[in-house]
């Protein structure tokens, strides 16, 4: 029988257990499916393929018995946000218009993980069309925050973060357009990575924005990224939005950059306190932390420009359904699309200029050090029904606009408190710096 500690353990611990023969992939998968079945209240999964998962697990065990394991991920479980294709499974993108649509083949990222031997459990809940950060889905039901019932897990990859945090899977794929991997990671207390633009192929996903979309992993610990990224970060020549990103050398000890005026950016007192405590811990162990002012950059204006770009892209991505069955779009999504329809080409061009200015601001940051530290979200998770904070994605969207890698890790909080995320940003190609960063004593994972 598999222990609860192993089920709630990270990929690294589970991989070691498989390698040592302490468990099998079939045992692990059965246990994982049992946990999923025991938590319908979370509404994290929209589709579970128990039969297919157990067949894949048995195949993994056979490879391992023959001494032919495919690597550290072979036999471990995976779940995928429902805007990323998995062959023979639905891809709803959280939309009523896409009910019953089944993918013909795996998305590139999914194929890479399956080739590494991972066992695919099913598809995960998300915010409608990936446009929103609450995962209060009007068509498939809201996904709950596993730390507190009635609270948002964040979005749009809310099901992905919820599933990882609640032990329903150890690795989930999400998508991130303006923070949709990192905000749920922060709200649910897990680790989420948005790599450099194009590093992880978006091929086989339903677009939210062609210029801002990223696919990214959510895991339980920072160390797991060293197992996952070599598999995911492979150039996809068939994807127009993929990039062959050059690796930036990782410094032996990064120089940290921080915001001297984080309070002025609309950050809640609880998040500010956790952020300042993390900076203090870095300084206490002798790390260099240089604080700079950020008030000269209008995060809110940039976020609004990014939203206009998203609205225009969604009108293209869903054009046929929007013309044929507009009544199947929620009131919220309809409002966004109607607004996008009214905008001129000049307004769109102006928004793109504002988006591009993020490159200049981020370059200014890295004149002062190697890794920028920010809160992931300006607030903690909030109750469904409360007003959605306008600034939810202010601190995350800049990484999408500049195309730089950004990582959210959970900070220590008091027992019973909702999670807080710390965001680390590196220059383009700097994933290795984020993955190798010494976060012992700083982050919770």
């Amino acid at each position: 029988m598999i222990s609860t500690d192993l089920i709630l353990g990270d990929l690294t611990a589970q991989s070691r257990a498989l390698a040592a023969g302490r468990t099998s992939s079939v045992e692990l998968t059965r246990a994982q499916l049992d946990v999923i079945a025991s938590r319908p209240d979370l509404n994290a999964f929209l589709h579970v393929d128990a039969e297919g998962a157990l067949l894949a697990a048995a195949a993994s065990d056979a490879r391992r018995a023959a001494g032919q394991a495919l690597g550290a991920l072979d036999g471990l479980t995976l779940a995928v946000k429902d805007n990323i294709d998995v062959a023979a499974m639905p891809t709803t993108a959280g939309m009523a218009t896409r009910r019953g649509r089944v993918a013909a083949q795996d998305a590139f990222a999914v194929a890479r993980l399956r080739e590494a031997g991972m066992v695919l459990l099913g598809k995960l809940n998300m915010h409608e069309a990936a446009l929103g950060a609450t995962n209060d889905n009007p068509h498939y039901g809201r996904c709950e925050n596993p730390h507190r019932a009635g609270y948002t897990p964040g979005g749009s990859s809310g099901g992905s973060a919820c599933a990882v945090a609640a032990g329903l899977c150890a690795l989930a794929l999400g998508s991130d357009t303006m923070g949709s991997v990192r905000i749920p990671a922060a709200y649910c207390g897990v680790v989420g990575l948005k790599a450099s633009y194009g590093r992880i192929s978006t091929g086989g996903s339903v677009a939210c924005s062609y210029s801002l979309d990223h696919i990214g992993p959510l895991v339980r610990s920072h160390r797991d990224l060293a197992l996952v990224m070599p598999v995911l970060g492979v150039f996809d020549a068939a994807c127009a939005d993929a990039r062959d990103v050059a690796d930036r050398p990782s410094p032996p000890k990064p120089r940290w950059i921080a915001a001297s005026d984080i309070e002025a950016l609309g950050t809640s007192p609880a998040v500010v306190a956790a952020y300042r405590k993390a900076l203090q811990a870095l300084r206490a162990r002798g790390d260099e932390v240089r604080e700079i002012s950020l008030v000269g950059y209008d995060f809110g204006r940039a976020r609004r420009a990014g939203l206009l770009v998203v609205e225009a892209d969604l009108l293209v991505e869903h054009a046929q359904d929007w013309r044929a069955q507009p009544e199947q779009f929620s009131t919220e999504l309809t409002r966004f699309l109607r607004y996008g329809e009214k905008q001129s080409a000049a307004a769109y061009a102006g928004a793109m200029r504002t988006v591009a200015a993020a490159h200049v601001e981020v370059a200014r940051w890295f004149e002062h050090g190697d890794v920028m530290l920010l809160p992931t979200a300006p607030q903690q998770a909030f109750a469904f029904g409360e007003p959605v904070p306008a600034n939810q994605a202010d601190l995350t969207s800049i990484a999408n606009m500049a195309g730089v890698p950004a990582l959210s890790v959970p900070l220590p909080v008091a027992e019973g408190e909702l999670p807080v995320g710390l965001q680390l940003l590196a220059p383009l190609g700097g994933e290795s710096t984020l993955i190798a960063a010494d976060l012992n004593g700083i982050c919770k994972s």
Side-chain angles (χ1 to χ4, degrees), residues 26-362:
V26 167
E27 290 173 332
L28 181 63
T29 301
R30 284 192 189 281
Q32 210 77 80
L33 290 168
D34 288 344
V35 177
I36 294 169
S38 73
R39 297 304 309 268
D41 56 304
L42 296 175
N43 195 28
F45 275 83
L46 298 183
H47 177 82
V48 176
D49 180 19
E51 182 180 358
L54 289 169
L55 286 172
S60 174
D61 287 339
R63 286 192 296 271
R64 196 173 294 277
Q68 297 173 351
L70 299 175
L73 296 177
D74 198 351
L76 301 179
T77 58
L78 162 72
V80 177
K81 185 177 179 179
D82 206 23
N83 62 343
I84 303 170
D85 284 348
V86 175
M89 292 190 195
T91 305
T92 70
M95 303 178 71
T97 55
R98 297 181 61 90
R99 287 186 190 274
R101 297 189 191 179
V102 175
Q105 62 185 32
D106 289 339
F108 183 86
V110 173
R112 289 286 305 165
L113 292 170
R114 288 230 248 203
E115 288 164 7
M118 294 207 77
V119 174
L120 214 152
L121 298 171
K123 304 298 292 293
L124 295 163
N125 202 341
M126 59 179 287
H127 203 102
E128 183 186 20
L131 181 55
T134 64
N135 212 137
D136 194 356
N137 191 300
H139 311 298
Y140 302 95
R142 62 178 47 150
C143 178
E144 297 277 347
N145 191 310
H147 294 279
R148 191 172 296 177
Y151 277 63
T152 175
S156 59
S157 306
S160 301
C162 170
V164 172
L168 310 187
C169 61
L171 168 65
L173 288 184
S175 66
D176 190 311
T177 304
M178 295 176 68
S180 289
V181 161
R182 289 159 291 151
I183 293 170
Y187 284 3
C188 291
V190 297
V191 174
L193 175 67
K194 183 208 79 64
S196 300
Y197 179 75
R199 165 83 76 177
I200 299 174
S201 172
T202 56
S205 65
V206 180
C208 184
S209 172
Y210 306 102
S211 59
L212 299 174
D213 280 357
H214 301 67
I215 287 176
L218 293 102
V219 290
R220 283 198 202 98
S221 77
H222 176 231
R223 66 180 181 172
D224 286 348
L225 295 172
L227 302 182
V228 175
M229 279 306 294
V231 176
L232 288 176
V234 174
F235 177 60
D236 176 11
C239 178
D241 302 316
R243 301 290 183 270
D244 193 4
V245 180
D247 292 321
R248 177 180 287 266
S250 180
K253 188 173 185 180
R255 297 166 299 145
W256 308 102
I257 319 158
S260 61
D261 41 19
I262 197 65
E263 296 86 350
L265 302 180
T267 310
S268 75
V271 172
V272 169
Y275 176 70
R276 293 288 183 204
K277 188 174 181 180
L279 301 185
Q280 183 180 11
L282 287 168
R283 289 189 173 107
R285 73 183 194 187
D287 287 20
E288 177 186 346
V289 181
R290 181 168 184 181
E291 296 193 17
I292 62 173
S293 174
L294 301 185
V295 293
Y297 181 77
D298 192 336
F299 286 89
R301 178 171 179 262
R303 185 226 334 130
R304 292 188 295 273
L307 182 57
L308 177 54
V309 173
V310 168
E311 290 162 341
D313 281 342
L314 283 175
L315 284 166
V316 175
E317 182 72 5
H318 301 288
Q320 184 174 345
D321 290 333
W322 181 237
R323 287 192 301 268
Q325 41 188 335
E327 73 283 354
Q328 294 293 307
F329 291 70
S330 72
T331 301
E332 178 188 51
L333 184 55
T334 295
R335 177 171 55 85
F336 283 126
L337 296 181
R338 293 290 184 208
Y339 181 82
E341 284 182 322
K342 295 175 183 177
Q343 303 308 304
S344 66
Y348 180 82
M352 288 299 292
R353 287 193 180 190
T354 300
V355 167
H359 291 267
V360 177
E361 174 65 9
V362 167

